[in-house]
Amino acid sequence: MSRPWSATAGRRVATVRRASDDRAASLGGRSWWVPWAVMAVVIVASLWIGAGAPGATGVGLSRLTSGAPVVRPATPSARISHLESELRCPSCADLSVSQSTEPSALAIRSYVVHAVQRGATDSAIVGFLESRYGPSILMAPKATGPGAAIWWVPAIAVVGAVSAAVLLFRRRAASAPAKVPSDGDRELVRDAMAGWDGRR
Amino acid sequence: MTALRVTAGVLLVGLVAVAVAFAAQPSPGAAQASSPLLGKKAPPLSGPYLAGAHLKPSQFRGEWVVVNFFASWCVDCRIEAPALDRFAAQHPPGSRVAMVMVAYADPAQAAAGFLRLNGGWPAIEDPGGQIALDWGVREPPETFVVAPDRRVVARFIGPVRASQLDAVLAGRVS
């Protein structure tokens, strides 16, 4: 003889409630922040690795212009390619000189080739071009001076947004009504189940 | 219904008036632009004249020099040419104001043709664009004003007007 449906359902409800209570206890305890911490670590690691990868324009240039150690390409032609990818075509919207065939980009390419052949350092080459065209000649803004704002403003915005979201969720959770069913709730469920059993 | 028609009529007249006012405005001319060179010593300006001679940096000692980067393929340079012509006429040789044109990414023959049509100003070639690079030129037309002490005092991007150049000189020439 099979068990009445209501008994099975009741057991299922009880099981789900127990699991839910366990999860709630776990999240309400000290381990709630673990998934967030893992996510933060993954994001930071991805950004760090991505920005430091060979050919990553932003970090390459910020290193180049901030004076921090740069892993120099081995050959002069690799240096030339690297520099050309980090310098903006002056008369284009958003292309590097390596991507453009505008006369101004060709002139800069020619200058870079001759300067590298002369033995000029990367920072000397970039510094000269910056003295002629201004900081906008760099594909990525400098990590120093006023241009650094473009790096730290988004970081502050992200941290602020995440903090605000955490505060908001916590406040909502605190002000939410208790999840323990009242006697009235229990009575309603009991009546509903009794009605269901009666129909079967 | 009549009120609606009156409102629509007023709106239409207003739109037409705004359009006419915008169309009747004089061209704003070139934008005076910033440059890392402003206030600094002008980069060297030498090269083969389009006419065949050679321009030497020492040639303009003690003079104001208006340096204009142009190209025969540049539409704004054609728009600008009459203004430069007027300016050159107002400042003939010996007036302590000289004008030098630099052909930007333009074959000598084409640049010389442009000058024949638009004015016979002294002009030099810039093979490879290295003079333009030295001056931080992005695209023509660009005009720089260099003081007698060799400092760059103004930079204009786009078609410059004679009055804009005169304003720079009036503020500086004693």
Side-chain angles (χ1 to χ4, degrees), chain B residues 114-125:
Chain B
F114 175 89
L115 291 171
R116 264 198 308 278
L117 286 173
N118 294 291
W121 314 299
I124 57 173
E125 293 177 53

Side-chain angles (χ1 to χ4, degrees), chain A residues 33-46 162:
Chain A
W33 52 269
V34 171
W36 293 99
V38 170
M39 193 161 71
V41 168
V42 168
I43 290 172
V44 169
S46 307
V162 169

